[in-house]
Amino acid sequence: MSRRRIPDVVIRRLPLYLRILDDLDHTETPIISSQELGARSGVTPGQVRKDLSFFGVFGKQGVGYNTGNLREELRKILRLHQQVAVGLVGVGNLGTALIRYNVAREKPYPEGTGLKLVAAFDKDEKKVGRKISGIEVFSLINLPELVKSLKLSVIILTVPAEAAPGVLNHCIQAGVKAFLNFAPTKLTAPPNVRIHHSDVMLELESLAYFR
Amino acid sequence: MSRRRIPDVVIRRLPLYLRILDDLDHTETPIISSQELGARSGVTPGQVRKDLSFFGVFGKQGVGYNTGNLREELRKILRLHQQVAVGLVGVGNLGTALIRYNVAREKPYPEGTGLKLVAAFDKDEKKVGRKISGIEVFSLINLPELVKSLKLSVIILTVPAEAAPGVLNHCIQAGVKAFLNFAPTKLTAPPNVRIHHSDVMLELESLAYFR
């Protein structure tokens, strides 16, 4: 099935399934049912089966999915079985905090695979050359060459709202196709480019229920 | 149905449904089907109907939901038809960025209702008394009295990982029951307290697919 046809939110649920499988002891739990995976991720068993069938992954009827195989399949589908080099643009308050948190956080995948933050960028030449938790800050001007040499394929945007469209275009022209945007503004991009918006408001709104 | 029985992720989808309804012109689209709401939020129509039926909200069979009514129902379920006062603890890089973004962001709900960030806290007395985008920074010591006087019911935690458990307990003892945690650490709390963890990693992992 074409990658284009799969709904965005299906892709967004895959890391959650993967997290659940990462947290399981595969010796103790060699098989997981769509019921169990659904209960832990909060969707119906039918939704789990539908999500996974998009990628040709089918459990054994009445039995379930082999947990180890399913984890490997999900890693491959998400292309996390390779190293994914991540860059961050905008070393202000939020950018600095994300670099520190990201570097400090324990990674769930084996060394040499998965996401790795490798470079930061800022237009402010005073910040260039600094290191934050070991991550060097480069000039935004040098982004295109570093996208190539470091194989950056995902960019985190932590620039002010008014700077976001210009920086986005700069990155797209350098060949980047995947962005996580924290700037509080809507961004548009060609159809082959994916932008996810981090939305603290949605998180807070669901918390209002529990207060 | 008891509030306790409803899966967390169901509650987490409600703000997404609400956002979709907020973005619709209710005159042009007086009715929305579970198919349409599902397609826009990326779940199956059955999942939509199941989610809403938890709260006794049922559409007309073969017709759908009245968009205006459904929006009002969701606001009430999420208790966003009242003002929800939000506090933030930890005025470091991340806290400062979230205050600025939150205040700058356009709110989708009418004046006097919904989420409103009203106070920030820090243990560093040098930061106390400062204002960030109009939000005053108070001493953490004064949190209990301000929780009462400002009716703070949701707290955003942007403190370092090692400080998070202590700050959490301080807030729980002051009567707060809902937290959005950005500290890169797992936190535990009594069953009547809800903690959501903001997880940039899950966002980035789904982006790896599209790079």
Side-chain angles (χ1 to χ4, degrees):
Chain A
M1 172 165 249
S2 154
R3 292 200 146 215
R4 194 124 331 264
R5 293 285 190 75
I6 298 163
D8 198 56
V9 282
V10 173
I11 309 297
R12 283 167 180 263
R13 275 191 291 270
L14 301 184
L16 192 59
Y17 299 150
L18 184 55
R19 180 78 50 100
I20 291 160
L21 296 166
D22 278 332
D23 287 346
L24 285 177
D25 183 321
H26 294 193
T27 317
E28 274 179 28
T29 316
I31 301 284
I32 189 164
S33 64
S34 54
Q35 279 78 8
E36 177 67 16
L37 201 49
R40 286 176 183 249
S41 52
V43 297
T44 59
Q47 183 80 59
V48 171
R49 290 193 296 268
K50 194 182 170 196
D51 286 355
L52 296 175
S53 70
F54 273 118
F55 307 95
V57 178
F58 302 97
K60 267 196 184 157
Q61 209 170 2
V63 180
Y65 301 90
N66 176 301
T67 46
N69 288 355
L70 183 55
R71 186 175 64 167
E72 291 316 304
E73 282 294 331
L74 287 173
R75 277 193 206 281
K76 279 184 199 154
I77 292 165
L78 288 168
R79 302 173 67 194
L80 291 168
H81 61 307
Q82 313 158 345
Q83 182 96 259
V84 181
V86 179
L88 178 146
V89 182
V91 187
N93 285 310
L94 185 60
T96 303
L98 287 180
I99 294 169
R100 289 196 183 132
Y101 277 21
N102 196 283
V103 172
R105 192 182 286 266
E106 208 180 306
K107 303 298 189 297
Y109 26 75
E111 184 67 29
T113 70
L115 298 159
K116 190 173 188 182
L117 182 65
V118 293
F121 299 90
D122 205 284
K123 67 165 189 173
D124 182 354
E125 296 295 328
K126 287 198 294 290
K127 291 179 182 171
V128 172
R130 279 189 203 166
K131 283 197 173 186
I132 300 161
S133 297
I135 304 298
E136 187 168 345
V137 181
F138 298 97
S139 169
L140 196 50
I141 296 164
N142 299 325
L143 184 132
E145 61 196 69
L146 282 151
V147 164
K148 282 181 187 63
S149 63
L150 298 173
K151 296 187 170 61
L152 299 178
S153 59
V154 175
I155 292 283
I156 302 172
L157 292 175
T158 47
V159 295
E162 61 276 15
V167 170
L168 175 69
N169 281 339
H170 188 53
C171 296
I172 290 173
Q173 265 155 39
V176 182
K177 293 196 190 72
F179 297 87
L180 178 55
N181 175 44
F182 284 86
T185 184
K186 283 192 182 171
L187 294 170
T188 52
N192 65 329
V193 171
R194 180 68 46 154
I195 306 172
H196 288 183
H197 296 265
S198 178
D199 203 327
V200 175
M201 282 298 290
L202 286 180
E203 290 275 1
L204 285 173
E205 285 184 8
S206 66
L207 269 171
Y209 176 84
F210 296 104
R211 71 203 166 85
Chain B
M1 171 165 253
S2 153
R3 293 202 148 215
R4 196 126 327 268
R5 294 285 191 80
I6 297 164
D8 197 55
V9 284
V10 172
I11 309 297
R12 283 169 180 261
R13 275 192 290 270
L14 301 184
L16 192 59
Y17 299 150
L18 184 54
R19 179 78 51 100
I20 291 160
L21 295 166
D22 278 333
D23 287 346
L24 285 176
D25 182 322
H26 294 193
T27 317
E28 275 179 25
T29 315
I31 302 284
I32 190 164
S33 65
S34 55
Q35 279 79 7
E36 176 68 15
L37 199 51
R40 285 176 184 249
S41 52
V43 295
T44 58
Q47 183 80 61
V48 170
R49 289 192 297 269
K50 193 180 171 197
D51 286 354
L52 296 175
S53 70
F54 273 117
F55 307 95
V57 178
F58 302 97
K60 267 198 184 153
Q61 209 171 1
V63 179
Y65 301 91
N66 177 302
T67 47
N69 288 355
L70 183 54
R71 186 174 64 167
E72 291 317 303
E73 281 296 330
L74 287 172
R75 278 193 206 282
K76 276 183 202 155
I77 292 165
L78 287 168
R79 302 173 66 195
L80 291 169
H81 60 306
Q82 313 159 345
Q83 183 96 256
V84 182
V86 179
L88 178 146
V89 182
V91 187
N93 284 309
L94 185 60
T96 303
L98 287 180
I99 294 170
R100 288 195 183 133
Y101 278 20
N102 195 283
V103 172
R105 193 181 287 265
E106 207 181 306
K107 303 299 187 297
Y109 25 75
E111 185 66 30
T113 70
L115 298 158
K116 192 173 186 180
L117 182 66
V118 294
F121 300 89
D122 204 283
K123 67 165 188 174
D124 181 355
E125 295 294 328
K126 288 196 295 291
K127 290 179 181 170
V128 172
R130 281 190 202 167
K131 283 197 172 185
I132 299 160
S133 297
I135 304 300
E136 187 167 345
V137 181
F138 297 96
S139 170
L140 197 49
I141 297 164
N142 299 325
L143 184 130
E145 61 197 68
L146 281 151
V147 163
K148 282 182 186 60
S149 63
L150 298 173
K151 296 186 170 62
L152 299 179
S153 58
V154 175
I155 292 281
I156 302 171
L157 292 175
T158 48
V159 295
E162 61 276 16
V167 170
L168 176 69
N169 281 338
H170 187 53
C171 296
I172 290 172
Q173 264 156 42
V176 181
K177 292 197 192 72
F179 297 87
L180 179 55
N181 174 44
F182 283 86
T185 186
K186 282 191 184 175
L187 295 170
T188 51
N192 65 330
V193 170
R194 181 66 49 154
I195 306 173
H196 287 183
H197 296 266
S198 178
D199 201 327
V200 174
M201 282 297 291
L202 285 181
E203 290 275 1
L204 285 173
E205 286 184 5
S206 67
L207 269 173
Y209 175 84
F210 296 104
R211 72 205 164 85

